[in-house]
Amino acid sequence: MATAYAALLSLDRSLHQILHLDPLIHKERIISLHEKVDSIVTLLEDHSEKHRGTLDRLGNEIRNAAHEAQDFMDSYLCSVATTHDALSLDRDLDMAFERIHFIWEKATKIIKKDDTTEDLRFTTHFSRRAQVTESKVVEFDDDFNAIKEYMYEDSSKLQIIPIVGMGGIGKTTLAKRAYDNAGAFDICAWATASAEYKKRETLSELLQCFKKYTTDANHQSGESEAQLAKRVYQILVGRRYLIVIDDIWSRKAWDDLKMIFPDNDNQSRILLTTRLSDVAVYAGSSTTSFHQMKFLNENQSWKLLEEKIFGQESCPLHLVELGKKVARNCRGLPLTIVVVAGLLLSSGNMKEQELWESILENISSIESTIQVHCSKILSLSYDWLPPRLKPCFLYMAAFPEDFEIDITKLIMLWVAEGFIKPCNNNSKCLEEVGKGYLEDLVNRNLILVSKKGPDGKLVAVRIHDLLRKICIAKAEEGGFLHHLSSTKNACNDAVENPKRRLVAHYTKTLQELRRQDSCVRSVFSEIKQFSVLPTNFKCLGILNSPKVTWWNLSEVISTSINLRYISFILDENMPHLNRFLASLSKLPNLETLISNVAGNKGLQVPYAILCMPKIRHLIVSHPFRLSDPSNKGTINESDLQTLDIVTNFIFTEDVIKMLVNLKQLKVVFDGFGDNWDDFNLNNLSRLQNLEELEVSLGLQNHFFGWCAWPNPFPIWKYSFPISLKKLTLQGVPFLWENMTIFGLLPELQVLKIVENNIREVSEWTTVQGQFLQLKSFCSSLDYLAKWEVEKDHFPSLESLILRGAVWIDEIPCGLGEIDSLQLIELQNCKESLVNSAKQIEEERHEIGDVAFQVKVFNFVIKNNF
């Protein structure tokens, strides 16, 4: 039913696009068709729970009918660019109505029929979000203590410590705990190998981690694997390091990597996680045996299940014995236990005995192996997802194995596909609704949290490989998407069974697909540069190809009027670039444009892109300039929410009126003009929906990031929108005594101030009643001679991150007394500052706050600045 539901949403999106054509032929009939499609969508949402089996059997018919109707509509939408063919539209509408009406009648008959059989009594009410608490049991204290012994034993030689066990048993969880609690190492890094091992990607992942410790980790995309390997080796030489290589599958992969890790004779360690014992024996140090993960015993399983469901509370007595049976049937696999917990938490009443009995009945009918059992449980979790979440979950199959998925990008793709239904018919809230969908999937333990921001919010997610296999199987089975391989058979299969969404991570060409071009709506190629996109993808709506250069795609992109989402590489040195960018600005349905930029000339983007009727996100990896508008015309309110990264942006009255819905803005000022007033910054505070703002002053250096402008601007004196939740200032001159500008922002949760571009020493004495919501403060504290803080001045502060802080001698005692503060992170700071942080850590631990941490990275500066 998921693919049928997704097909209806896609058809709904196409009809919505047609309804915005001007002039529009047969408007009343199209509105009627649109309403009928919406009715079927609502019917499936309201009744799929009770009539799951019978409606599922109707799924293929619904999907095929919706696809045919969408083809009719998209065909007309493509031809309307040249002429309004009234006869063609009339015929297509008749055929679309015929198919949709057939589905409506068939579905309503099923609903009206007296169905005496009921499926499992699970309801997926999310009026309250299921909150899964952090588990202490799942962190395996015995295993952790064993790994600690290996890590900190007396041997000074480099030690390889393999962690072995089946998928889902907790290898990565254990390695992550060891990694997060590592002390006394100069440098730590994490890389994932996976079954689809690629040396370049693993080396790049390590270098990305190294950037936290040294600028030597910056590398260029054109470097060879040998050059990247040499760079990793040189960074590690002489340092005591901890490296985690997660999910390694072959001896060859280890042979490929081991030479880049020098033995510095200083107790450096490498943790490996693998499913294969022979790989562990082969890679492990002769002085250490590998660590074998064991299944949880019945008591541990029950404790984990109880904690996941009830948190700090105890299980009701009438459910204890039943709950222990459920835990026992999870066969000691932590992944199975947390998935069962997620299923129970998502129910209407997790304390209902019949619900637990239904769970027990389903997981008791197991096959002979735990792998099959876990797959059964995972499939059960998918089957009981509400219709609105199923397409979003299946979409995870489009990403490569072990891929860290940026949630902002994921939600943009969901929106572009039409999977997100607006709340109260307000299209501006689509991304917020998408965040709610994502949180639902995380709370059900179907998607794993990979990274959180300093404010505790989700940044990136992953999907466990067992879940991904099920996801791919479900997606392929229902025709939701198709994974292409480099083999000819796979391509032939795609031709014989046309798919709407193509995943081409590992294939070199898409030329074999020309016969089904009219069916393709979405193309994904995250990690592979296929040669040339076929030119007949006329109905293409989504092109997610961040590794593919635009000249391979330009003909398709510039003529695909259905295009809603594009991600690719722009090369500033290619001919006709301006003409291509101008053609982008004429795409009537484009919502998201994401581009990495190759070259250093400085990209100029047509101002018309800001005025596109449906643009929501404009993201370019390098700062770009907007051309001067030749003819502004009438200023209309734009749906633009993300503008990143624009140079020398001038906040005119017209701009403020147009960008009223802007939520995220990154702007760079490169020294144009003599002072801030040239940019009308007094209007900045009028962007009342802005939540994230990053302002940088300076020139971008390819290797070292942002450099201060040699002739600093006057001191910053402008206010900010009161809606701001996250603010970053880099190289912006201001006085610390003026921090009230930030302190009075009522919603501010994350504040980052680095490279203060001023040469005047000042002091900062905080006052009560400011920074009430601030959770994370990151700064270099440039030219701050004295900092006075009272305990109640940062009532919500959770993390303090200081980088290159050399002007201040110690952390104010008042900060150490803030109950909410759990982390102080120091990088390249004064020795006295580090010592004061360690003193605070000792005092917090003495009073029982063992969760409080001080992390010190790289070296400390001993001399006075």
Side-chain angles (χ1 to χ4, degrees), residues 69 102 184 305 364 454 562 619 663 673 684 710 729:
F102 169 76
L305 183 61
S364 296
N562 285 319
I619 303 172
K663 291 185 177 180
L684 181 62
L729 300 180

PDB file of all heavy atoms in Angstrom, residues 69 102 184 305 364 454 562 619 663 673 684 710 729:
ATOM      1  N   ALA A  69      -2.565   7.994 -14.637  1.00  0.00           N
ATOM      2  CA  ALA A  69      -3.166   9.326 -14.589  1.00  0.00           C
ATOM      3  C   ALA A  69      -2.091  10.404 -14.500  1.00  0.00           C
ATOM      4  O   ALA A  69      -2.199  11.462 -15.150  1.00  0.00           O
ATOM      5  CB  ALA A  69      -4.116   9.416 -13.394  1.00  0.00           C
ATOM      6  N   PHE A 102     -12.578   4.418 -11.013  1.00  0.00           N
ATOM      7  CA  PHE A 102     -12.593   2.970 -10.823  1.00  0.00           C
ATOM      8  C   PHE A 102     -11.986   2.608  -9.460  1.00  0.00           C
ATOM      9  O   PHE A 102     -12.529   1.775  -8.720  1.00  0.00           O
ATOM     10  CB  PHE A 102     -11.811   2.302 -11.949  1.00  0.00           C
ATOM     11  CG  PHE A 102     -11.543   0.836 -11.719  1.00  0.00           C
ATOM     12  CD1 PHE A 102     -12.540  -0.106 -11.891  1.00  0.00           C
ATOM     13  CD2 PHE A 102     -10.282   0.404 -11.332  1.00  0.00           C
ATOM     14  CE1 PHE A 102     -12.294  -1.460 -11.670  1.00  0.00           C
ATOM     15  CE2 PHE A 102     -10.027  -0.935 -11.107  1.00  0.00           C
ATOM     16  CZ  PHE A 102     -11.036  -1.878 -11.282  1.00  0.00           C
ATOM     17  N   ALA A 184      43.252  10.741  26.969  1.00  0.00           N
ATOM     18  CA  ALA A 184      44.713  10.642  26.815  1.00  0.00           C
ATOM     19  C   ALA A 184      45.167  10.404  25.388  1.00  0.00           C
ATOM     20  O   ALA A 184      46.332  10.094  25.156  1.00  0.00           O
ATOM     21  CB  ALA A 184      45.276   9.536  27.727  1.00  0.00           C
ATOM     22  N   LEU A 305      14.461  -4.113  27.617  1.00  0.00           N
ATOM     23  CA  LEU A 305      13.116  -3.864  27.105  1.00  0.00           C
ATOM     24  C   LEU A 305      12.322  -2.995  28.070  1.00  0.00           C
ATOM     25  O   LEU A 305      11.641  -2.043  27.656  1.00  0.00           O
ATOM     26  CB  LEU A 305      12.399  -5.201  26.885  1.00  0.00           C
ATOM     27  CG  LEU A 305      10.995  -5.119  26.278  1.00  0.00           C
ATOM     28  CD1 LEU A 305      11.031  -4.485  24.893  1.00  0.00           C
ATOM     29  CD2 LEU A 305      10.355  -6.503  26.215  1.00  0.00           C
ATOM     30  N   SER A 364       6.718 -15.174  18.438  1.00  0.00           N
ATOM     31  CA  SER A 364       6.945 -16.555  18.860  1.00  0.00           C
ATOM     32  C   SER A 364       7.011 -17.499  17.669  1.00  0.00           C
ATOM     33  O   SER A 364       7.638 -18.556  17.733  1.00  0.00           O
ATOM     34  CB  SER A 364       5.827 -17.010  19.811  1.00  0.00           C
ATOM     35  OG  SER A 364       5.857 -16.255  20.995  1.00  0.00           O
ATOM     36  N   PRO A 454      24.670  21.176  18.476  1.00  0.00           N
ATOM     37  CA  PRO A 454      24.938  21.648  19.837  1.00  0.00           C
ATOM     38  C   PRO A 454      23.678  21.957  20.632  1.00  0.00           C
ATOM     39  O   PRO A 454      23.714  21.995  21.860  1.00  0.00           O
ATOM     40  CB  PRO A 454      25.771  22.920  19.602  1.00  0.00           C
ATOM     41  CG  PRO A 454      25.498  23.328  18.188  1.00  0.00           C
ATOM     42  CD  PRO A 454      25.236  22.060  17.455  1.00  0.00           C
ATOM     43  N   ASN A 562       9.117  20.109 -15.160  1.00  0.00           N
ATOM     44  CA  ASN A 562       8.607  19.480 -13.943  1.00  0.00           C
ATOM     45  C   ASN A 562       9.641  19.448 -12.831  1.00  0.00           C
ATOM     46  O   ASN A 562       9.324  19.034 -11.710  1.00  0.00           O
ATOM     47  CB  ASN A 562       8.170  18.040 -14.231  1.00  0.00           C
ATOM     48  CG  ASN A 562       6.853  17.986 -14.986  1.00  0.00           C
ATOM     49  OD1 ASN A 562       5.943  18.742 -14.693  1.00  0.00           O
ATOM     50  ND2 ASN A 562       6.772  17.108 -15.965  1.00  0.00           N
ATOM     51  N   ILE A 619      21.017  26.754  -2.223  1.00  0.00           N
ATOM     52  CA  ILE A 619      22.204  26.420  -1.444  1.00  0.00           C
ATOM     53  C   ILE A 619      23.373  26.196  -2.391  1.00  0.00           C
ATOM     54  O   ILE A 619      23.337  25.295  -3.245  1.00  0.00           O
ATOM     55  CB  ILE A 619      21.971  25.150  -0.598  1.00  0.00           C
ATOM     56  CG1 ILE A 619      20.751  25.340   0.320  1.00  0.00           C
ATOM     57  CG2 ILE A 619      23.205  24.802   0.223  1.00  0.00           C
ATOM     58  CD1 ILE A 619      20.336  24.073   1.042  1.00  0.00           C
ATOM     59  N   LYS A 663      14.172  31.423   6.540  1.00  0.00           N
ATOM     60  CA  LYS A 663      14.460  30.824   7.844  1.00  0.00           C
ATOM     61  C   LYS A 663      15.953  30.640   8.090  1.00  0.00           C
ATOM     62  O   LYS A 663      16.393  30.637   9.229  1.00  0.00           O
ATOM     63  CB  LYS A 663      13.756  29.461   7.959  1.00  0.00           C
ATOM     64  CG  LYS A 663      12.249  29.550   8.059  1.00  0.00           C
ATOM     65  CD  LYS A 663      11.629  28.183   8.294  1.00  0.00           C
ATOM     66  CE  LYS A 663      10.121  28.286   8.468  1.00  0.00           C
ATOM     67  NZ  LYS A 663       9.500  26.951   8.697  1.00  0.00           N
ATOM     68  N   GLY A 673      32.810  48.343   0.031  1.00  0.00           N
ATOM     69  CA  GLY A 673      32.315  49.518   0.745  1.00  0.00           C
ATOM     70  C   GLY A 673      33.166  49.851   1.956  1.00  0.00           C
ATOM     71  O   GLY A 673      34.153  49.193   2.259  1.00  0.00           O
ATOM     72  N   LEU A 684      17.844  44.179   8.786  1.00  0.00           N
ATOM     73  CA  LEU A 684      18.012  42.761   9.066  1.00  0.00           C
ATOM     74  C   LEU A 684      17.014  42.260  10.111  1.00  0.00           C
ATOM     75  O   LEU A 684      16.471  41.156  10.004  1.00  0.00           O
ATOM     76  CB  LEU A 684      19.448  42.497   9.545  1.00  0.00           C
ATOM     77  CG  LEU A 684      19.824  41.061   9.870  1.00  0.00           C
ATOM     78  CD1 LEU A 684      19.705  40.187   8.630  1.00  0.00           C
ATOM     79  CD2 LEU A 684      21.251  41.000  10.408  1.00  0.00           C
ATOM     80  N   PRO A 710      41.680  42.573   5.917  1.00  0.00           N
ATOM     81  CA  PRO A 710      42.810  43.375   6.403  1.00  0.00           C
ATOM     82  C   PRO A 710      42.437  44.751   6.924  1.00  0.00           C
ATOM     83  O   PRO A 710      43.121  45.307   7.769  1.00  0.00           O
ATOM     84  CB  PRO A 710      43.722  43.474   5.173  1.00  0.00           C
ATOM     85  CG  PRO A 710      42.839  43.153   4.001  1.00  0.00           C
ATOM     86  CD  PRO A 710      41.816  42.207   4.490  1.00  0.00           C
ATOM     87  N   LEU A 729      28.792  34.311  14.078  1.00  0.00           N
ATOM     88  CA  LEU A 729      29.526  35.487  13.595  1.00  0.00           C
ATOM     89  C   LEU A 729      30.990  35.104  13.455  1.00  0.00           C
ATOM     90  O   LEU A 729      31.605  34.622  14.406  1.00  0.00           O
ATOM     91  CB  LEU A 729      29.384  36.662  14.563  1.00  0.00           C
ATOM     92  CG  LEU A 729      27.974  37.188  14.833  1.00  0.00           C
ATOM     93  CD1 LEU A 729      28.022  38.351  15.813  1.00  0.00           C
ATOM     94  CD2 LEU A 729      27.289  37.610  13.543  1.00  0.00           C
TER      95      LEU A 729
END
